[in-house]
Amino acid sequence: MGILRKGLLGPVKNKTGAVIGREHRGQNILTGLHNPSTKPPTEKQLEERRKFGMLNSFLSDIDKLVNVGFKRYAKIGSPVNVAYSYNADHAFVKQGEEWQLNFPEMVYSRGHVDTPEGANVVLGAEVHTVLFSWLAQKQTASCQFADQASFLVYNAAKNKALILMDATNRYALSYQLTLPTEFAGDALHCYMNFNSEDGKRSGDSVYLGELLF
């Protein structure tokens, strides 16, 4: 039974005949009944499902970064959903017969805060560390010494992310990050970005390379 919540022209809740009414993120939505297909999925459909699962899993693993980096673009959907749509066209690369995530093309943040100039990442001098570094830049409206740096080290073999948000400022020019010992022997994908000090503005994330830990 459907319920008219605010009179004859109000939103419908629950099922009415072949129509389902619900509220989603402040929007009143009507959808038809879904008739599950009895046909087995095609290989193309299975492939698309696998790709969806890979990208969605990656973005969910780093949702702390995505929720900040894509929040200004998420007018209706969640930041993770918006990031999925933005990345989907360039997120995959085929290795042999299998699709894999195209990590150098992945983006977890977008905005007008300047990206780090000359950014680099290497294994640190101390055991179990990596060292991020970048060059000094002239201060402008979109580039402030107080901009906050966030870092991501992603272990694809274990589907685990090491995230440090607002770890240091742009003026520091470097940051040493300690890695979990369980990452030893794995390839690590490294990224960073800057956000404004007040957290109201984000900058594009940049891929810095792959390290073998």
Side-chain angles (χ1 to χ4, degrees), residues 64-73 108-111 202:
K64 287 197 299 183
L65 290 164
V66 174
N67 287 338
V68 173
F70 274 85
K71 66 180 178 182
R72 69 185 296 253
Y73 302 99
Y108 66 75
S109 178
R110 294 178 60 208
S202 299

Side-chain angles (χ1 to χ4, degrees), residues 46-110:
L46 291 173
E47 183 179 84
E48 290 304 312
R49 291 177 189 178
R50 288 192 291 268
K51 289 165 69 176
F52 171 84
M54 284 191 293
L55 180 53
N56 194 59
S57 176
F58 172 73
L59 294 173
S60 296
D61 287 342
I62 63 169
D63 61 348
K64 287 197 299 183
L65 290 164
V66 174
N67 287 338
V68 173
F70 274 85
K71 66 180 178 182
R72 69 185 296 253
Y73 302 99
K75 305 301 182 184
I76 297 178
S78 71
V80 169
N81 289 340
V82 176
Y84 184 98
S85 297
Y86 181 82
N87 282 282
D89 289 342
H90 53 259
F92 305 100
V93 60
K94 205 162 191 178
Q95 298 288 344
E97 296 299 316
E98 297 295 326
W99 286 100
Q100 296 181 7
L101 287 177
N102 189 7
F103 288 103
E105 297 297 321
M106 300 299 290
V107 175
Y108 66 75
S109 178
R110 294 178 60 208

Side-chain angles (χ1 to χ4, degrees), residues 106-180:
M106 300 299 290
V107 175
Y108 66 75
S109 178
R110 294 178 60 208
H112 300 297
V113 174
D114 283 2
T115 56
E117 183 175 325
N120 189 38
V121 62
V122 296
L123 293 175
E126 297 181 23
V127 178
H128 297 160
T129 64
V130 293
L131 179 66
F132 290 84
S133 62
W134 53 96
L135 301 177
Q137 294 166 264
K138 182 179 178 180
Q139 287 199 100
T140 66
S142 58
C143 178
Q144 295 287 306
F145 293 154
D147 291 338
Q148 297 295 295
S150 293
F151 305 96
L152 166 64
V153 176
Y154 191 77
N155 185 328
K158 293 184 170 63
N159 294 324
K160 290 189 175 182
L162 179 61
I163 296 170
L164 276 80
M165 300 184 66
D166 300 337
T168 189
N169 59 41
R170 188 188 294 266
Y171 188 73
L173 301 184
S174 66
Y175 186 81
Q176 184 165 274
L177 186 156
T178 301
L179 299 171

Side-chain angles (χ1 to χ4, degrees), residues 26-47:
Q27 303 291 315
N28 299 311
I29 299 173
L30 292 175
T31 59
L33 289 175
H34 303 291
N35 296 317
S37 174
T38 58
K39 296 181 180 180
T42 65
E43 184 56 38
K44 179 66 174 177
Q45 289 172 326
L46 291 173
E47 183 179 84

Side-chain angles (χ1 to χ4, degrees), residues 144 146-148 166 195-201:
Q144 295 287 306
D147 291 338
Q148 297 295 295
D166 300 337
N195 297 317
S196 62
E197 184 182 22
D198 60 10
K200 294 181 179 180
R201 296 180 297 124

